[in-house]
Amino acid sequence: MRYLITGGAGFIGANLAHQLVEEGNEILVVDNLITGRHSNIEDLVRNSRFEFKRQDIIEIFDPGDIDGIYHLASIGSVYHYLNNPIETMRVGSIGTERMLELARERNCRLVFSSTSEVYGSPLVHPQVEDYWGNVNPVGIRSVYDESKRYAEALTMAYYRKYRVDVGIARIFNTYGPYMDPDDRRVMPNFITQALSGKPLTIYGDGSQTRSFCYVDDTVGGLIKLMESNCPGPVNIGNPDEYSIKELADTISALLGVPGKYEYEELPEDDPLKRKPDISLAKSVLGWTPGVSLREGLEKTIKWFRKELQ
Ligand SMILES: NC(=O)c1ccc[n+]([C@@H]2O[C@H](COP(=O)([O-])OP(=O)(O)OC[C@H]3O[C@@H](n4cnc5c(N)ncnc54)[C@H](O)[C@@H]3O)[C@@H](O)[C@H]2O)c1
């Protein structure tokens, strides 16, 4: 199969590209590198089954023959989307429309990477797919949350009106190799701070919770969704829930450093709880995450050590 991965030089996209090439597929990665890194796919460039095109997906381009589209292009880290609010809205809206048009024209399946952020600061816990969310439409984070909600609505409109074969994945916090150490998400922050002997920065009192999914599991879920005919939305995440303080304690313990923390104010509209209900992914895709937080952190820390050298 020949797949197009938009945003394939980013964190999840690079992991997906490596996995799909390893499975014998041909891959075209299209990425404008606004937050992605060429170094994430550098080793693949020598492979004859891999092609990279530096390209903004907002512009029309010809990907050649394709059998499916993984549409991952977006600006995923809060730090970056707050600094690039218009680019974030445009890739979610115009970029998604371009990819849906491409899927329609080529008559191929499109898997869209949506997010648990569509649930906002949830009033239902754990989050099930039929919960509509609690999002501030004019808050600073809305550029990301609302562009994903719009993209989901557009994807369903193409599904209903043109019968485009789509699958919407609502991805929850994912971590692992190929994360940008500087993109200010909680995992790279904690790991780089702990590795360099600095205090870990905790926003708020650290009691807010997140569910962390190791990237191999997330990638496995996306591939299963591509291979199914499920339109979704379907939650892809690990239901094991940890407070941010527990995560900081676990990383400090794994690295054998004393838990030194610096507390800063909780950012605006930061969700207090996050935990996916994955019953749908289990029943429809036969998918369930298999990597524990400890095991995933060990692999991630190993990768960060090498990357930071
Ligand atoms: N990592 C997570 O925890 C998480 C959670 C929920 C959803 N997601 C979603 O999964 C996808 C991948 O996330 P990630 O963590 O790998 O983020 P990332 O920022 O590392 O990767 C996104 C990639 O998209 C590219 N991109 C952005 N705008 C583009 C444009 N206009 N044209 C071409 N390329 C463009 C970036 O350069 C980057 O390489 C995103 O859609 C994100 O919203 C991620």
Side-chain angles (χ1 to χ4, degrees), residues 103-104 107-108 155-166:
R104 181 182 170 207
N107 197 20
C108 71
T155 302
M156 290 312 292
Y158 270 75
Y159 171 70
R160 293 190 182 109
K161 186 166 169 78
Y162 299 123
R163 296 276 147 224
V164 174
D165 186 9
V166 299

Side-chain angles (χ1 to χ4, degrees), residues 11-12 31-32 35-36 56-57 72 113 144 148 171 174 185:
F11 158 50
I12 298 178
D31 198 304
N32 66 356
T35 58
D56 193 320
I57 61 154
L72 270 59
S113 61
Y144 182 70
K148 290 287 187 181
I171 302 174
T174 296
R185 294 189 234 198

Side-chain angles (χ1 to χ4, degrees), residues 6-14 30-37 40 55-58 71-77 80 87 90-91 95 112-117 144 148 169-175 178-180 183 185 218 222:
T6 72
F11 158 50
I12 298 178
V30 172
D31 198 304
N32 66 356
L33 300 182
I34 186 166
T35 58
R37 301 185 304 158
N40 282 350
Q55 164 84 47
D56 193 320
I57 61 154
I58 284 162
H71 173 36
L72 270 59
S74 179
I75 300 182
S77 113
H80 286 308
E87 291 81 353
R90 285 170 65 88
V91 67
F112 169 57
S113 61
S114 186
T115 170
S116 58
E117 298 291 333
Y144 182 70
K148 290 287 187 181
R170 287 191 181 148
I171 302 174
F172 283 64
N173 277 50
T174 296
Y175 68 100
Y178 299 120
M179 283 195 110
D180 180 352
D183 83 0
R185 294 189 234 198
T218 301
L222 293 175

